[in-house]
Amino acid sequence: TQYYFLIYAFFLCVVYLVYLVVFRNWKKIILSILTAMAAIGTGILIFPASLDQIFGGYRGREAIENARVGELGGHLWNYLGQMSRGIFGGFFPAVLFVLLCLVIVYVRKKEYDRNALRSNLQWWCLMVLPVCLYVVVIAKIAPYQTLRYVIAVMAPLYLAMFNSMVYLVPSRGKKYVLLLAAVFLVCGYRQGLENLYLGDRDKISQ
């Protein structure tokens, strides 16, 4: 059973809660907290053995020990490389560079919708911050570096990058961004497929 997605869910809830607190949306804060508590309670009721496996199992104890003495820098770099290959076919630095250039060109325009830009930045932070926090924690506590430990955050990162590009480019250029997204999706799929277990890879190929 793969439990690391719970760490991502935790950071997703925390970042969203901070967002709601900043904008003083108290009703949604209460509803979000109640929903999260209900989800946790339901999960434990459905599979009570999860508590023992997370905190008492050998992997759980290993993760706690790694949090205390585990390496971070080298593991984090390894994960970033795996995610670059698994999402963008190894071209993540190029995608990031293009996105940065688009942001610079956009904000240098004489007139642009500041409210729309602010809204897009808020959405981008809600998508990307939990991903960043999750990857840092996993790099620290995971027993070894493998793509399946970060699969939970690959789709949000992919969507955040290309959704931002679609927003930043003019209308006539959006189709090229979508084409680029499709190309990277295929490249990432072909690269990431090699990281799956052989049996799973054969099933997907069939």
Side-chain angles (χ1 to χ4, degrees):
T1 304
Q2 181 58 258
Y3 292 113
Y4 282 152
F5 79 92
L6 292 172
I7 299 174
Y8 172 61
F10 168 77
F11 284 127
L12 192 64
C13 291
V14 168
V15 171
Y16 183 60
L17 186 63
V18 171
Y19 169 80
L20 293 178
V21 170
V22 169
F23 289 94
R24 300 171 181 259
N25 196 328
W26 308 116
K27 181 180 179 180
K28 284 190 176 181
I29 289 173
I30 295 173
L31 290 175
S32 298
I33 292 174
L34 292 176
T35 302
M37 292 175 62
I40 293 171
T42 302
I44 294 174
L45 287 174
I46 293 174
F47 193 43
S50 60
L51 290 177
D52 181 62
Q53 292 183 8
I54 292 173
F55 298 106
Y58 75 99
R59 284 300 189 200
R61 294 194 300 270
E62 189 175 20
I64 293 173
E65 180 66 15
N66 287 340
R68 189 174 63 87
V69 299
E71 182 187 350
L72 177 60
H75 292 177
L76 182 60
W77 185 253
N78 192 340
Y79 269 122
L80 291 176
Q82 291 191 41
M83 293 176 68
S84 175
R85 293 188 296 274
I87 309 175
F88 304 104
F91 295 100
F92 178 63
V95 174
L96 203 58
F97 176 75
V98 171
L99 181 59
L100 180 61
C101 291
L102 288 174
V103 171
I104 293 174
V105 171
Y106 185 83
V107 298
R108 286 175 64 87
K109 288 170 24 178
K110 292 183 178 180
E111 294 183 3
Y112 63 89
D113 191 336
R114 294 180 182 273
N115 291 329
L117 179 61
R118 187 181 301 112
S119 177
N120 190 268
L121 285 174
Q122 291 169 3
W123 180 89
W124 199 84
C125 289
L126 286 172
M127 292 287 286
V128 174
L129 278 180
V131 171
C132 295
L133 294 170
Y134 172 83
V135 173
V136 169
V137 170
I138 292 303
K140 181 70 173 175
I141 71 172
Y144 48 88
Q145 290 73 60
T146 176
L147 189 68
R148 63 190 177 96
Y149 287 158
V150 291
I151 280 179
V153 300
M154 290 170 62
L157 184 59
Y158 175 86
L159 290 173
M161 290 297 174
F162 286 106
N163 181 76
S164 298
M165 287 187 184
V166 169
Y167 169 77
L168 291 169
V169 300
S171 298
R172 61 180 180 275
K174 295 186 187 301
K175 59 183 178 182
Y176 298 109
V177 173
L178 295 176
L179 178 61
L180 186 66
V183 170
F184 280 119
L185 185 63
V186 173
C187 292
Y189 172 78
R190 292 179 61 84
Q191 292 284 337
L193 200 59
E194 298 301 319
N195 291 275
L196 295 175
Y197 292 129
L198 181 60
D200 294 334
R201 190 162 67 244
D202 290 340
K203 291 177 183 177
I204 291 176
S205 298
Q206 293 173 1

